[in-house]
Amino acid sequence: MIAIRNLSKWFGPKQVLHDCSLEVAKGEIVVVCGPSGSGKSTLIRTLNGLEPFQQGSAEVDGIALGENADPNTKLRTLRQKVGMVFQHFELFPHLSVLDNLTLAPIKVLGKSKEEADAKAHALLGRVGMDGYAAALPGQLSGGQQQRVAIARALAMDPVCILFDEPTSALDPEMIAEVLDVMTGLAQEGMTMICVTHEMGFAKNVANRIVFMDAGRIVEDAPSTEFFAQPKSERAQAFLAKILRH
């Protein structure tokens, strides 16, 4: 489903990803964690073309990026397959919740307004937001906006969803409602890669934990194994600090 092989990236002279390799099977839930600035968000953003990279390759559901990419690879096609949920929601502020969900299916997938509206209402119901179809994003709480953002990602029928710190901009009481939606998606078999510091979610929901530090994948282990006995000293120190809070 997803394969990253020997991927390296630079921002100017600064190397931010070092020879990263990662495979994610269909239906797997992988949590990427690590200290700030370790390259977590940059790594997952390479998977939908938001971050170009200079060495190595990545492949999502048969679409190659990087060294092995077809020069005619269309990012638009890739982004139809890969849903993305951002830290700060990235909803269109001037559009209603319903229009935020239907814009891409109509414009990109060619769906009729009736078909797109019906699916949008079903998805809003799935994330507990169907009563807010006419609202503008600014009228919603952060947790509500993030649930709408997840529904918007689902509206494109993605093969996987990338979550880039989806709860870090939320108040503590709003975090649970977003994690509940994500847990539901995991139980339904959605392939997910999630950058997060929510270790309870990681422990309970993730199949695997990928721990990064200084642009490198330091550990890639089953969730139970990682939390019981991380192999690297850096991961041990990270867990000791984050689980204390």
Side-chain angles (χ1 to χ4, degrees):
M1 165 67 78
I2 296 171
I4 295 172
R5 298 184 183 91
N6 307 115
L7 189 150
S8 294
K9 174 178 175 59
W10 285 259
F11 285 125
K14 180 178 172 61
Q15 187 169 0
V16 292
L17 294 175
H18 298 259
D19 200 31
C20 295
S21 294
L22 172 67
E23 294 202 3
V24 180
K26 182 176 172 54
E28 261 196 310
I29 315 301
V30 174
V31 161
V32 183
C33 63
S36 296
S38 58
K40 308 179 297 292
S41 294
T42 302
L43 182 69
I44 69 164
R45 287 164 69 93
T46 64
L47 291 172
N48 70 346
L50 282 174
E51 291 288 357
F53 52 93
Q54 289 75 40
Q55 286 182 8
S57 64
E59 185 175 303
V60 180
D61 199 35
I63 298 179
L65 297 162
E67 293 173 350
N68 300 324
D70 179 336
N72 296 315
T73 292
K74 299 282 193 299
L75 286 179
R76 184 171 173 173
T77 304
L78 176 72
R79 288 172 184 161
Q80 287 175 35
K81 289 175 174 277
V82 182
M84 185 92 188
V85 177
F86 299 90
Q87 179 178 351
H88 294 291
F89 328 130
E90 305 298 338
L91 298 171
F92 294 112
H94 62 293
L95 296 181
S96 70
V97 164
L98 183 67
D99 288 343
N100 264 280
L101 264 68
T102 59
L103 182 66
I106 291 170
K107 298 283 189 186
V108 179
L109 300 183
K111 292 190 175 183
S112 69
K113 186 176 187 321
E114 293 72 24
E115 186 183 5
D117 282 358
K119 176 154 191 171
H121 280 292
L123 289 171
L124 288 171
R126 187 171 168 185
V127 300
M129 290 296 296
D130 196 29
Y132 296 86
L136 291 172
Q139 298 171 313
L140 306 178
S141 71
Q144 290 172 327
Q145 288 187 63
Q146 196 60 291
R147 283 187 281 157
V148 170
I150 293 171
R152 180 178 63 176
L154 291 169
M156 294 295 285
D157 293 320
V159 297
C160 65
I161 300 184
L162 311 175
F163 292 87
D164 189 5
E165 304 207 28
T167 60
S168 63
L170 301 179
D171 292 335
E173 66 267 23
M174 296 176 186
I175 290 173
E177 62 190 50
V178 173
L179 293 180
D180 284 347
V181 171
M182 293 169 64
T183 300
L185 290 177
Q187 291 168 346
E188 292 167 18
M190 174 61 72
T191 307
M192 295 161 55
I193 303 179
C194 182
V195 172
T196 185
H197 291 296
E198 295 297 332
M199 292 296 103
F201 172 82
K203 198 171 190 177
N204 296 329
V205 179
N207 304 110
R208 280 169 42 224
I209 308 295
V210 171
F211 178 78
M212 293 186 69
D213 186 41
R216 291 178 169 84
I217 293 177
V218 179
E219 290 196 40
D220 181 351
S223 176
T224 51
E225 186 179 304
F226 179 80
F227 283 102
Q229 196 165 17
K231 293 182 176 66
S232 67
E233 287 186 14
R234 186 66 187 89
Q236 290 168 15
F238 174 80
L239 269 186
K241 186 174 183 181
I242 204 165
L243 294 177
R244 204 180 298 137
H245 295 290

